[in-house]
Amino acid sequence: SATSYFNGTLYRKTLARFWPLWGLWAVGWLFLVPLRLLNAYLSDYHFRAYSAQQSLLWDAQDLPDILTSGVFLALFFAILCAMAVFGYLYNHRSACWTHALPMRREALFTTQYLAGLSMLILPQLAACLLAAIVELSFLPLEDWGAVLPPLLILALAQSGLSLFFFSFASFCAMFTGHILALPAFYIILNCLSYGLWFLIDALLSEFYYGYAGIPGAL
């Protein structure tokens, strides 16, 4: 088929246009992963090399703990990336100009979606790659098997979080008609499952405690 669903020029232009957004995301992950490991090693190196390697080993094995904060980071930056790449939909002049480009609507959506997803996933994968270089450079060969799996878990899990939240934000972007409505629907729908669980749990708790108060009830 001669139909193209991706435009490389638009993809590169989108990444270049919103570089401050993914640049800030990349700097954050540099501090969270490779620079954290490097600091753990260098802070103890002036004592003795063995102590520095042990500190690096412990920090490398604790890397999956970052996922606790990574959920909220992905939740926040995903909506920012969606607002950036799909923001043209909420301005009449920008929407008309963009859809006048010689490409199909499917190609336009796919390109913008992949550009926004790349803003989230590529910087964190690059940070994990630099962390792997730090680990392999300063740890002995016998410790590689203990530090690489936690790093791989972090990279895969955080990429999955970014994929989910950005896809959900893109879904919200497709049915909203205002740039401020996008984050509003995004937050509401993300909290909807927790709200429903809280209401159902509170309702069932009333039945449970009422039943438990009946004499002879189990």
Side-chain angles (χ1 to χ4, degrees), residues 19 32 44-45 48 53 89-90 99 101-103 107 118 131-132 136 151 154 157 166 173 180-181:
W19 70 266
L32 280 175
D44 290 339
Y45 186 76
R48 58 180 182 272
Q53 289 179 347
L89 295 173
Y90 310 111
H99 288 103
L101 295 174
M103 68 180 72
S118 298
L136 299 181
L151 182 61
L154 173 64
F166 181 73
L180 297 181

Side-chain angles (χ1 to χ4, degrees), residues 27-73:
V27 169
W29 277 100
L30 284 177
F31 278 97
L32 280 175
V33 188
L35 293 181
R36 170 186 172 178
L37 297 179
L38 192 60
N39 179 69
Y41 179 81
L42 296 179
S43 61
D44 290 339
Y45 186 76
H46 62 279
F47 293 110
R48 58 180 182 272
Y50 174 77
S51 177
Q53 289 179 347
Q54 192 64 38
S55 297
L56 176 58
L57 177 62
W58 289 339
D59 270 30
Q61 290 177 326
D62 291 338
L63 281 179
D65 294 341
I66 298 177
L67 291 171
T68 304
S69 302
V71 173
F72 298 98
L73 290 174

Side-chain angles (χ1 to χ4, degrees), residues 21 25 35 46 54 58 62 78 83-84 111 129 136 173 183 188 194 207 217:
L21 180 58
W25 176 252
L35 293 181
H46 62 279
Q54 192 64 38
W58 289 339
D62 291 338
M83 293 173 67
T111 302
L129 178 60
L136 299 181
I188 291 172
Y194 176 78
F207 284 101

Side-chain angles (χ1 to χ4, degrees), residues 125-183:
L125 291 182
C128 290
L129 178 60
L130 292 176
I133 294 175
V134 172
E135 293 174 351
L136 299 181
S137 300
F138 297 113
L139 290 176
L141 181 61
E142 57 269 18
D143 289 334
W144 289 4
V147 297
L148 291 180
L151 182 61
L152 182 61
I153 291 173
L154 173 64
L156 293 179
Q158 188 62 40
S159 297
L161 289 172
S162 299
L163 174 63
F164 170 77
F165 283 117
F166 181 73
S167 298
F168 193 75
S170 300
F171 167 75
C172 294
M174 291 301 103
F175 66 82
T176 53
H178 195 277
I179 189 65
L180 297 181
L182 173 55

Side-chain angles (χ1 to χ4, degrees), residues 85-92 94-95 98-99 108-109 173-174 176-177:
V85 298
F86 294 114
Y88 69 93
L89 295 173
Y90 310 111
N91 183 278
H92 183 266
S94 298
T98 304
H99 288 103
L108 181 60
F109 170 79
M174 291 301 103
T176 53

